[in-house]
Amino acid sequence: MSKIVSDPTPQLPPKQKGVARLIAATKFSIAGLTAAWKFEEAFRLEVIAFCVLAPLGIWLGHSRVEQVLLVGCLFFVLMMELVNSAIEAVVNRAGLEYHELAGRAKDIGSAAVFVALTLVPFVWGMLLL
């Protein structure tokens, strides 16, 4: 006779709808931001830079459009850092041994952050100089 093995996959609650779904999604998002702050030094540094530069961008922007562009590119950096951190976490979960595709995924995620970071001086320079 064979043993019956239970499925180790955790069971998710039934799909939530409406406001309950929005509340659950918000909790997951806050957990993600908390994890990024706790485990990702680059994210912490970029948040600090955001806290300094965002008020400056609002002050220096002559119109609402300029203010949105100056601050928006800063948000874009944070978004790309979160995506990069998520990619790195998934790759590390799959295994810590070197694999060409894992390295490529991490490098491409890092490149996304780099492109976002280069957007900041471009936008700020074009609007303020």
Side-chain angles (χ1 to χ4, degrees), residues 13-94:
K15 284 252 184 193
Q16 297 172 326
K17 296 182 180 181
V19 175
R21 182 183 176 117
L22 180 62
I23 291 169
T26 301
K27 288 179 182 178
F28 291 134
S29 298
I30 291 170
L33 289 169
T34 302
W37 180 264
K38 183 176 180 181
F39 297 110
E40 301 295 331
E41 182 180 3
F43 182 73
R44 289 191 298 271
L45 292 172
E46 290 159 353
V47 167
I48 292 166
F50 177 91
C51 290
V52 171
L53 293 175
L56 188 61
I58 291 170
W59 183 62
L60 292 174
H62 295 296
S63 67
R64 294 280 186 218
V65 171
E66 287 185 1
Q67 292 171 339
V68 167
L69 289 169
L70 292 169
V71 177
C73 64
L74 301 173
F75 271 111
F76 188 65
V77 170
L78 295 177
M79 288 186 294
M80 286 297 99
E81 187 62 51
L82 290 168
V83 170
N84 182 46
S85 296
I87 291 169
E88 288 184 357
V90 169
V91 168
N92 289 344
R93 170 64 175 96

